[in-house]
Amino acid sequence: MAHYKVEQDDWLTVYLKYLLFVFNFFFWVGGAAVMAVGVWTLVEKSGYLSVLASSTFAASAYILIFAGALVMVTGFLGFGAIIREDRGCLSAYFCLLLVIFLVELVAGVLAHVYYQRLSDELKQHLTRTLAENYRQPGAAEITASVDRLQQDFKCCGSNSSADWLQSSYILSLEAEGRQVPDSCCKTVVARCGQRAHPSNIYKVEGGCISKLEQFLADHLLLMGAVGIGVACLQICGMILTCSLHRRLQLHFY
């Protein structure tokens, strides 16, 4: 009977090891996905960050990159701990899982808070940016961001093309009679903004605000979904790690 009990315990230990090994593989892949989403957000979409009032969106992406990199390093530690059946490594693995879980929780809270105030921030800041900062001295980065925004989203003005009529740039001599910036044009050529006809410029209901708001909301939801998915994996991993650690501790004694 005692021999059967020992064999059963050994079988459970092997079963837990395989389960944790499979979990760790998916966990490592999830970490790579988290880091990829963060890097993609910053590299591909960084051109829009200059028109945002706060750095919360960028901060969420940086946190995801950090968490993803930490997940991948932790994954390698997990493989070593499982193969060696080292209780010390398993304890360190569990602690790192907990740290990563807390980091992702912070990123999720930031994304949620930013999502709640996204619309108000865009309405206030983007309108002011277009009116006061576009083509002004020292605002080259903002100007490039606005031009890219209007071309990528095929929009003109924060709410409509009429927003440009009161902007510092359009009212200046530098505008050379333009009614809107050239980046509002469907086909960008020099001084094409002098003609603000729907056949020449983008006239989108809701302007660039509605387009940028939808874009940011989709990205925040994507970051949140990836973070939640990996966090759920981590809870399973922490449970499996504790179970295997306990099983190895019983064998040791």
Side-chain angles (χ1 to χ4, degrees), residues 60-75:
S60 297
Y62 279 119
I63 290 173
L64 280 180
I65 293 172
F66 171 74
L70 191 57
V71 163
M72 296 181 75
V73 172
T74 303

Side-chain angles (χ1 to χ4, degrees), residues 2-76:
H3 178 70
Y4 173 76
K5 182 70 166 61
V6 170
E7 285 187 348
Q8 187 181 40
D9 287 345
D10 289 340
W11 180 84
L12 286 172
T13 302
V14 172
Y15 182 69
L16 281 171
K17 280 180 62 178
Y18 277 115
L19 269 180
L20 191 55
F21 197 90
V22 170
F23 153 78
N24 199 61
F25 171 75
F26 285 109
F27 180 61
W28 189 89
V29 171
V34 167
M35 188 164 66
V37 169
V39 170
W40 175 67
T41 299
L42 289 178
V43 173
E44 290 295 319
K45 310 303 176 183
S46 59
Y48 308 135
L49 298 180
S50 297
V51 300
L52 302 179
S54 74
S55 59
T56 311
F57 183 76
S60 297
Y62 279 119
I63 290 173
L64 280 180
I65 293 172
F66 171 74
L70 191 57
V71 163
M72 296 181 75
V73 172
T74 303
F76 286 119

Side-chain angles (χ1 to χ4, degrees), residues 167-202:
S167 72
S168 299
Y169 168 65
I170 295 300
L171 294 174
S172 70
L173 294 175
E174 184 188 354
E176 299 179 325
R178 290 178 176 86
Q179 298 181 57
V180 294
D182 291 344
S183 58
C184 281
C185 299
K186 295 177 180 179
T187 302
V188 179
V189 294
R191 291 187 289 277
C192 62
Q194 292 175 343
R195 181 169 171 266
H197 191 272
S199 63
N200 184 51
I201 68 170
Y202 295 115

Side-chain angles (χ1 to χ4, degrees), residues 1-252:
M1 185 67 181
H3 178 70
Y4 173 76
K5 182 70 166 61
V6 170
E7 285 187 348
Q8 187 181 40
D9 287 345
D10 289 340
W11 180 84
L12 286 172
T13 302
V14 172
Y15 182 69
L16 281 171
K17 280 180 62 178
Y18 277 115
L19 269 180
L20 191 55
F21 197 90
V22 170
F23 153 78
N24 199 61
F25 171 75
F26 285 109
F27 180 61
W28 189 89
V29 171
V34 167
M35 188 164 66
V37 169
V39 170
W40 175 67
T41 299
L42 289 178
V43 173
E44 290 295 319
K45 310 303 176 183
S46 59
Y48 308 135
L49 298 180
S50 297
V51 300
L52 302 179
S54 74
S55 59
T56 311
F57 183 76
S60 297
Y62 279 119
I63 290 173
L64 280 180
I65 293 172
F66 171 74
L70 191 57
V71 163
M72 296 181 75
V73 172
T74 303
F76 286 119
L77 175 64
F79 285 128
I82 296 165
I83 293 170
R84 293 173 57 192
E85 296 186 7
D86 189 307
R87 288 185 298 140
C89 286
L90 283 172
S91 297
Y93 180 61
F94 176 85
C95 291
L96 284 173
L97 285 178
L98 184 59
V99 168
I100 295 167
F101 179 80
L102 294 175
V103 167
E104 288 176 342
L105 187 63
V106 170
V109 170
L110 282 174
H112 178 73
V113 169
Y114 188 65
Y115 181 79
Q116 297 300 312
R117 66 184 194 191
L118 179 61
S119 181
D120 290 338
E121 178 181 312
L122 286 178
K123 287 174 183 175
Q124 294 172 13
H125 188 70
L126 186 58
T127 302
R128 187 171 63 252
T129 297
L130 267 57
E132 300 175 5
N133 301 117
Y134 185 81
R135 291 277 183 179
Q136 299 305 300
E141 187 178 356
I142 290 176
T143 299
S145 294
V146 171
D147 285 338
R148 180 180 173 184
L149 176 69
Q150 294 192 138
Q151 278 294 298
D152 286 358
F153 291 138
K154 296 178 170 45
C155 59
C156 183
S158 54
N159 293 289
S160 71
S161 58
D163 295 332
W164 284 110
L165 296 178
Q166 301 302 317
S167 72
S168 299
Y169 168 65
I170 295 300
L171 294 174
S172 70
L173 294 175
E174 184 188 354
E176 299 179 325
R178 290 178 176 86
Q179 298 181 57
V180 294
D182 291 344
S183 58
C184 281
C185 299
K186 295 177 180 179
T187 302
V188 179
V189 294
R191 291 187 289 277
C192 62
Q194 292 175 343
R195 181 169 171 266
H197 191 272
S199 63
N200 184 51
I201 68 170
Y202 295 115
K203 285 190 176 284
V204 180
E205 185 177 350
C208 292
I209 284 180
S210 61
K211 294 276 191 173
L212 184 57
E213 183 178 356
Q214 186 58 52
F215 164 80
L216 292 175
D218 289 344
H219 271 66
L220 287 170
L221 288 174
L222 175 62
M223 287 191 284
V226 171
I228 289 171
V230 174
C232 290
L233 273 176
Q234 286 171 255
I235 293 172
C236 296
M238 286 188 280
I239 293 172
L240 288 172
T241 304
C242 285
S243 299
L244 182 58
H245 187 280
R246 176 63 178 165
R247 185 65 57 183
L248 292 175
Q249 190 176 33
L250 289 174
H251 278 199
F252 179 79

